[in-house]
């Protein structure tokens, strides 16, 4: 997310202005069930186009109109600058987290990628 992110609820008004790839990335982000996440690379693989950097760029520019906190870094580290907001969403949705180690500089939890990662299968949306 960035200063250029679209305000919540305005995506439809900008649909004609969004690049086609950006629209597809945002559609995948909207499909991710509450409490689950996909990495930037997962989204690119799902689309069979682009890569993690391209997905990250789309989310940075346009991700404010979708559940941006569900598209994450592969290492489970929370999005810098948006950690507290993301944590609020993860806790509300019951997303699996790992407590921060005592050595962790910021003492913030990480996502538990083994438990929270979603493979895009409609039948795997529920937590285990």
């Amino acid at each position: 997310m960035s200063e250029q992110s679209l305000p919540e609820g305005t995506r439809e008004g900008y649909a004609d202005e969004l690049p086609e790839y950006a629209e597809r990335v945002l559609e995948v982000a909207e499909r991710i069930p509450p409490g689950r996440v996909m990495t930037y690379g997962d989204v690119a693989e799902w689309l069979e186009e682009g890569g993690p950097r391209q997905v990250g760029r789309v989310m940075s520019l346009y991700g404010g109109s979708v559940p941006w906190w569900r598209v994450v870094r592969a290492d489970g580290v929370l999005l810098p600058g948006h950690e507290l907001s993301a944590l609020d969403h993860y806790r509300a949705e019951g997303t699996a987290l790992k407590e921060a180690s005592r050595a962790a500089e910021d003492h913030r939890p990480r996502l538990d990628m083994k438990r929270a990662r979603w493979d895009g299968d409609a039948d795997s949306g529920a937590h285990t």
Side-chain angles (χ1 to χ4, degrees), residues 70-91:
R70 296 182 193 151
V71 182
V72 301
R73 292 173 40 157
D75 62 5
V77 171
L78 306 184
L79 183 65
H82 300 280
E83 299 95 340
L84 297 179
S85 178
L87 270 175
D88 287 344
H89 288 292
Y90 297 139
R91 288 179 174 139

Side-chain angles (χ1 to χ4, degrees), residues 114-127:
K114 286 185 180 180
R115 293 177 39 219
R117 199 170 197 168
W118 187 59
D119 65 6
D121 181 2
D123 294 332
S124 69
H127 289 56

